[in-house]
């Protein structure tokens, strides 16, 4: 039976709808061909050996930013349709998120609207205790405030996807704890408040956290993902894909399906098969997805040995950080092999439909296949059609459109002339040279290519341009402040996700912290 999420709005509120960057009558792709393409994207030890890359270590993105991208995605968009119900009527397809970078999946509308998210003070976000655990070496790990607040294992959250894998749940906890720490910061140093004028302490803290989050997206996340020459143009409101800069009059912003269904899914290729979560050893992807209520690994609370040490994902010590895989068309084989109950944890599906048909596995294809087939069902243009529509330069073509071992299939299937947009964006990132300077003996960091960079950066900026309360409008002059805080007092300036995580961790270690 599907879980009932205590804080989820029932029925959910439609906040807006979707749109298109490339309007047109685009043809679907053959589904059998897409299934074959998805299988060809499956990585293997032999493929990894054949494409071994020297000096790649520091050119790869810290893995925490991959899942921060997922956190951003869950803040912007939720299309509740199952794969079977997806269709080209995107302008009529409800978006159950606000299409703003406003953390509505963390806060809800107001504390009064979703009181189960908040403590009795009506200001602090609830977090939950982990379960005491014993490691393989016999070390006892005490319970700590590092889980979602749960009832019989079911989390008190707005969006079920906030518990679809361990990283999503732990990022939710990180930002909830960040909000609670900002409340304490503003009590002590009210001059740091960015407003709103006359607002409550909660309103001031929410705005501080939201603007900090938006600042991180623009100046920490995007520069790691997209080309700097693209970012510089977009920051000046010089767009290639939009006719003009959006304004608050355009709210609610219609998120383009080229972004939601293709370009912003680049992170799927960066998922690793295993990670070192903390000091207690590596965990494989199956376990990481299973450590949720939906995945079946949590019956009451998260076991303490699975609490993520964020310094291993966004920290400043390069020797400790888990690095993401490269953006390319080779996806870790673990995305193909997670068993069905686990797969439902990472791929939100209509379980009621599955229960009626009795065929759950049919609703949960491997993630690459799901992405390709959904894009076809909503009638995304091919990469060639998208590039032609905007008059952009073609950067990947001919025998470069696919790895050598797949070129015969691409030619016979017609994919060399008409390539799925998501696949092209991944291949473009893997093959288009990055003109940015490298550092030391290392080449430039790998990023999205031209088309991927344009879609991701322009849509992100337009989301903020259409929001009157964003740092592109009300917070235009806002910068992360420099302040002293903690026990003992420490100088902070939260200019990266790693600094935010360190700030939260420092507060958790404070000697007067109690459960």
């Amino acid at each position: 039976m599907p879980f009932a999420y205590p804080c989820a709005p029932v029925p959910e509120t439609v906040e807006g709808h979707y749109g298109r960057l490339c309007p047109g009558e685009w043809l679907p792709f053959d589904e059998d061909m897409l299934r074959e393409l998805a299988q060809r994207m499956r990585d293997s030890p032999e493929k990894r050996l054949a494409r071994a890359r020297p000096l790649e270590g520091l050119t790869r993105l810290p893995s925490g930013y991959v899942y921060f991208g997922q956190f951003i995605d869950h803040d912007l968009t939720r299309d509740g349709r199952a794969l079977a119900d997806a269709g080209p009527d995107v302008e009529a397809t409800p978006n159950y998120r606000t299409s703003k970078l406003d953390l509505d999946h963390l806060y809800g509308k107001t504390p009064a609207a979703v009181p189960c998210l908040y403590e009795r003070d009506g200001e602090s976000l609830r977090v939950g205790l982990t379960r005491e655990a014993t490691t393989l070496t016999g070390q006892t790990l005490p319970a700590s405030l590092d889980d979602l607040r749960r009832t019989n294992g079911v989390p008190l959250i707005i969006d079920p996807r906030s518990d679809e894998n361990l990283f999503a749940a732990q990022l939710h906890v990180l930002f909830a704890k960040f909000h609670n720490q900002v409340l304490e910061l503003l009590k002590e140093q009210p001059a740091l408040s960015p407003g709103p004028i006359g607002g409550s302490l909660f309103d001031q803290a929410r705005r501080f956290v939201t603007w900090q989050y938006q600042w991180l997206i623009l100046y920490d996340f995007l520069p790691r993902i997209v080309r700097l020459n693209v970012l510089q143009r977009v920051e000046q409101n010089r767009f290639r894909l939009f006719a003009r800069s959006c304004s608050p009059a355009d709210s609610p912003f219609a998120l383009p399906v080229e972004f939601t269904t293709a370009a912003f899914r680049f992170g799927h290729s960066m998922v690793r098969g295993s990670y070192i979560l903390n000091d207690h050893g590596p965990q494989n992807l199956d376990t990481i997805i299973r450590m949720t209520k939906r995945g079946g690994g949590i019956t009451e609370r998260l076991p303490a040995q699975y609490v993520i040490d964020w310094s291993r994902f966004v920290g400043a010590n390069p020797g400790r950080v888990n690095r993401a895989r490269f953006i390319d068309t080779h996806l870790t084989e673990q995305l193909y092999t997670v068993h069905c109950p686990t797969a439902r944890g990472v791929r939100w599906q209509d379980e009621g439909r599955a229960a009626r048909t009795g065929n759950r596995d049919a609703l949960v294809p491997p993630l690459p296949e799901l992405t390709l087939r959904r894009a076809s069902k909503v009638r995304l243009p091919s990469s060639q059609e998208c590039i032609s529509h905007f008059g952009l330069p073609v950067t990947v073509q001919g025998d470069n459109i696919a790895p050598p071992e797949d070129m015969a299939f691409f030619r016979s299937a017609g994919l060399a002339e008409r390539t799925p947009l998501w696949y092209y964006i991944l291949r473009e990132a893997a093959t288009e040279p990055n003109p940015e300077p490298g550092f030391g003996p290392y080449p430039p960091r790998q990023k999205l290519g031209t088309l991927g960079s344009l879609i991701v950066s322009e849509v992100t900026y337009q989301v903020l341009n259409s929001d009157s309360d964003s740092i592109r409008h009300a917070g235009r002059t806002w910068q992360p402040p420099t302040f002293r805080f903690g026990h003992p007092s420490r100088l902070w300036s939260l200019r990266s996700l790693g600094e935010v995580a360190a700030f939260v961790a420092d507060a958790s270690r404070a000697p007067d912290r109690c459960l």
Side-chain angles (χ1 to χ4, degrees):
M1 292 296 292
F3 298 122
Y5 287 86
C7 282
V10 182
E12 287 189 293
T13 303
V14 177
E15 301 288 350
H17 298 82
Y18 295 89
R20 293 185 184 273
L21 287 172
C22 303
E25 299 294 327
W26 311 116
L27 296 175
F29 288 86
D30 178 78
E31 293 220 342
D32 289 336
M33 180 182 67
L34 294 180
R35 290 187 182 93
E36 165 118 5
L37 177 59
Q39 285 302 317
R40 287 177 174 272
M41 296 174 73
R42 180 173 176 162
D43 206 4
S44 68
E46 295 76 19
K47 290 181 180 179
R48 284 192 287 275
L49 182 63
R51 65 177 191 276
R53 299 178 174 100
L55 299 177
E56 70 174 16
L58 293 180
T59 70
R60 291 182 292 158
L61 186 74
S63 282
Y65 287 92
V66 176
Y67 295 98
F68 186 51
Q70 184 183 46
F71 184 82
I72 294 167
D73 177 79
H74 292 177
D75 188 25
L76 286 173
T77 173
R78 184 176 176 202
D79 174 359
R81 298 172 304 174
L83 176 63
D85 299 326
D89 56 337
V90 299
E91 294 82 1
T93 300
N95 182 4
Y96 292 98
R97 299 268 68 83
T98 60
S99 71
K100 297 179 180 180
L101 293 166
D102 59 356
L103 294 171
D104 72 311
H105 64 327
L106 176 72
Y107 288 111
K109 293 294 185 185
T110 65
V114 278
C116 61
L117 294 181
Y118 293 87
E119 300 290 358
R120 291 182 179 180
D121 62 9
E123 296 177 334
S124 304
L125 285 164
R126 288 182 168 183
V127 292
L129 280 171
T130 59
R131 177 171 57 81
E132 181 183 288
T134 302
T135 68
L136 293 175
T137 61
Q139 179 184 0
T140 299
L141 302 177
S144 61
L145 288 167
D146 287 301
D147 192 13
L148 300 169
R149 182 68 70 91
R150 298 177 184 273
T151 301
N152 297 322
V154 179
L156 303 179
I157 50 178
I158 289 288
D159 192 322
R161 297 173 302 172
S162 295
D163 193 40
E164 74 178 13
N165 62 62
L166 181 62
F167 291 115
Q170 289 281 282
L171 270 171
H172 191 102
V173 172
L174 176 68
F175 274 86
K177 293 172 75 172
F178 180 47
H179 165 84
N180 293 345
Q181 196 59 21
V182 168
L183 283 172
E184 299 304 313
L185 172 67
L186 296 184
K187 288 176 184 177
E188 291 186 12
Q189 303 178 55
L192 295 177
S193 170
I197 297 173
S200 66
L201 178 63
F202 170 81
D203 292 334
Q204 295 169 34
R206 180 171 182 172
R207 174 171 278 190
F208 185 108
V209 171
T210 302
W211 283 0
Q212 175 72 67
Y213 162 67
Q214 293 173 356
W215 193 95
L216 292 176
I217 292 169
L218 293 187
Y219 303 112
D220 185 31
F221 175 74
L222 285 183
R224 297 174 186 266
I225 298 297
V226 305
R227 305 290 175 104
L228 291 182
N229 63 334
V230 173
L231 269 184
Q232 289 163 358
R233 289 198 306 269
V234 177
E235 189 173 356
Q236 299 166 6
N237 284 332
R238 295 160 55 202
F239 296 98
R240 294 288 301 272
L241 310 183
F242 289 84
R244 60 177 177 82
S245 174
C246 289
S247 74
D250 297 298
S251 183
F253 179 69
L255 283 169
V257 287
E258 293 87 349
F259 172 86
T260 61
T261 314
F264 210 59
R265 299 194 178 201
F266 68 87
H268 293 172
S269 71
M270 306 178 83
V271 172
R272 290 175 50 166
S274 66
Y275 298 88
I276 299 175
L277 301 181
N278 45 46
D279 294 335
H280 311 300
Q283 299 291 341
N284 63 37
L285 184 62
D286 186 273
T287 299
I288 287 166
I289 297 172
R290 188 170 55 83
M291 279 300 125
T292 65
K293 177 64 173 177
R294 292 176 62 82
I298 292 180
T299 56
E300 291 293 332
R301 294 177 285 168
L302 178 72
Q305 72 265 35
Y306 296 106
V307 173
I308 288 178
D309 175 359
W310 287 109
S311 71
R312 289 188 175 273
F313 289 86
V314 291
N317 184 342
R320 284 175 55 84
V321 173
N322 291 271
R323 297 279 169 178
R325 291 164 57 97
F326 276 107
I327 308 172
D328 60 22
T329 54
H330 300 96
L331 277 71
T332 181
E333 47 268 62
Q334 279 79 3
L335 286 178
Y336 293 80
T337 59
V338 288
H339 58 81
C340 189
T342 299
R344 287 198 302 275
V346 75
R347 297 190 282 280
W348 176 251
Q349 295 291 317
D350 181 354
E351 290 196 351
R353 175 189 297 275
R356 292 193 299 274
T357 63
N359 186 4
R360 291 183 180 273
D361 288 330
L363 291 179
V364 192
L367 186 58
E369 180 187 328
L370 179 67
T371 298
L372 290 167
R373 289 173 59 192
R374 183 176 288 277
S376 177
K377 282 182 170 292
V378 301
R379 302 295 192 268
L380 282 195
S382 69
S383 58
Q384 291 83 359
E385 290 159 342
C386 184
I387 288 168
S388 175
H389 179 87
F390 290 110
L392 297 170
V394 178
T395 59
V396 185
Q397 56 187 325
D399 288 347
N400 213 26
I401 198 69
E405 65 270 19
D406 292 330
M407 277 309 304
F409 166 68
F410 262 63
R411 292 192 189 98
S412 65
L415 290 173
E417 296 75 33
R418 189 165 186 266
T419 311
L421 183 58
W422 178 58
Y423 186 97
Y424 179 93
I425 286 169
L426 299 182
R427 185 65 180 161
E428 177 190 58
T431 60
E432 185 182 340
N434 183 0
E436 298 171 19
F439 52 101
Y442 294 92
R445 292 186 186 275
Q446 195 224 13
K447 297 182 177 181
L448 290 169
T450 299
L451 181 60
S453 291
L454 283 169
I455 296 175
V456 168
S457 58
E458 290 198 11
V459 170
T460 301
Y461 269 82
Q462 293 286 45
V463 165
L464 292 170
N465 288 345
S466 64
D467 179 3
S468 62
D469 199 40
S470 78
I471 59 171
R472 297 284 287 173
H473 288 290
R476 181 175 293 274
T477 62
W478 188 84
Q479 293 281 326
T482 299
F483 57 90
R484 287 194 176 276
F485 190 77
H487 309 279
S489 181
R490 175 177 168 184
L491 188 66
W492 296 96
S493 182
L494 308 180
R495 305 184 79 83
S496 71
L497 185 57
E499 279 292 307
V500 169
F503 176 66
V504 172
D506 187 73
S508 299
R509 289 190 293 265
D512 60 350
R513 183 72 170 170
C514 59
L515 301 181

